[in-house]
Amino acid sequence: MTRIDKDLKQAKELLLAGQLVAIPTETVYGLAANALDEKAVLNIFKVKNRPTFDPLIVHTHSFECLQDFVTEIPEKAQLLAEKLMPGALTLLLPKKSNIPDLVTSGLPNVAIRIPKHPLTLQLLQSLPFPLAAPSANPFGYISPTTAQHVADQLGDKIPYILDGGTCNIGLESTIIGFEGNEATVFRKGGVSIEAIEAIIGKVQIQAHSSSNPQAPGMLKSHYAPKTPFYLGNIDELLTKYLLQHPENQAIKIGLLNFIELKNYKHLTHNFTQEILSQKADFSEAAHNLFAAMRRLDDLQLDVIFAELLPEQDLGRAINDRLRRAAV
Ligand code: TXA
Ligand code: MG
């Protein structure tokens, strides 16, 4: 069985021995191993049940250290790094040969970031190698934002979970790549597009595709709960669903709302509601999103209905996750 604790020494020893350790970051928990050790990295793919064509993010503790693993840093990447690292930003940069091809799935760029979590920064500083770490969930499921979330799903498969509390941001990092003078966001995440554009001007945003593995984190069905999950106007979704199930008063319904409790006129059934932010705060909603989705998913409900947030600030990244969770 896995142990959950705050013991940095224990985490370090296991990682030095080529084992996997779940680590806290400000975005979501990661499933970490020595990024320079192919055998350890292969084990990450196995434990997550992740296809090896989906590359991993490399984590380092400083910009100086990051430079050991990339051959080039375009000016826009440099500007972003100065303002947003450590933080919820991942840069796609041309890799040096010290990064195994397995980490990048054979791609020429490595995804690299400096997480902003005191425990994990300390851990990275104490290690002689960077850590490859995808989110610590089974492939395709909702990312973990507490140590317990990790234990619930990977507990029997990994020896140690470093407990750094609840993730502050609660959404994965924003992934950005560079070509010529253009910057493209490949995954919306914990740093908003607005914050990025305030530093480097207009960026492209890559739409997601269901099949192209070269487009990072872009597999359409991802972050998906087990319960059927529908997205849209909740009143309309409810009306339609209840018309399709006229006899069944025993249906159990989950509602995922951004703000206040709405009075759903059709709803005479039992329902459970999660509200992401009573005060309509995007950061608070992001912080609560994955835990709320998990709570609903754990209730053996028949169906979950969710509504989109306004397309601004972290609302955009939250909507991206909701769309990919939806059937
Ligand atoms: O916040 C985060 O980014 C968390 C924490 C643990 O750091 N990590 C995370 O990792 O979300 P993961 O593996 O769940 O998502 C990383 C995404 C993947 O979808 C992958 O396709 C993309 O990053 N990616 C990784 N390396 C890439 C590369 N070399 N080129 C293009 N995309 C890459
Ligand atoms: Mg993931």
Side-chain angles (χ1 to χ4, degrees), residues 28-29 48 50 54 57 133-144 172 187 217 222-223:
V28 300
Y29 273 73
K48 256 189 82 98
R50 177 181 177 120
D54 196 4
I57 296 178
S135 51
N137 50 287
F139 184 66
Y141 195 65
I142 303 161
S143 294
E172 301 85 349
R187 179 177 71 185
H222 222 81
Y223 313 100

Side-chain angles (χ1 to χ4, degrees), residues 205-261:
I205 300 171
Q206 165 103 12
H208 43 75
S209 106
S210 50
S211 58
N212 180 3
Q214 303 231 348
M218 289 289 154
L219 300 172
K220 163 117 190 8
S221 171
H222 222 81
Y223 313 100
K226 296 182 285 292
T227 316
F229 187 95
Y230 295 93
L231 188 58
N233 177 307
I234 293 186
D235 265 324
E236 285 171 23
L237 290 171
L238 266 172
T239 308
K240 196 169 149 210
Y241 188 86
L242 294 177
L243 277 174
Q244 285 165 355
H245 302 83
E247 305 300 332
N248 195 347
Q249 270 300 317
I251 286 176
K252 286 186 287 174
I253 295 170
L255 303 177
L256 186 61
N257 287 86
F258 176 35
I259 38 183
E260 85 285 356
L261 190 88

Side-chain angles (χ1 to χ4, degrees), residues 270-310:
N270 235 330
F271 72 95
T272 307
Q273 184 171 39
E274 291 281 351
I275 295 169
L276 295 178
S277 174
Q278 285 286 7
K279 53 180 199 279
D281 179 88
F282 290 108
S283 300
E284 185 181 42
H287 178 83
N288 290 330
L289 178 70
F290 289 152
M293 283 169 72
R294 273 174 192 264
R295 279 193 298 273
L296 289 175
D297 203 23
D298 285 344
L299 291 174
Q300 319 283 340
L301 303 169
D302 294 292
V303 62
I304 300 170
F305 297 120
E307 66 182 1
L308 288 167
L309 279 64

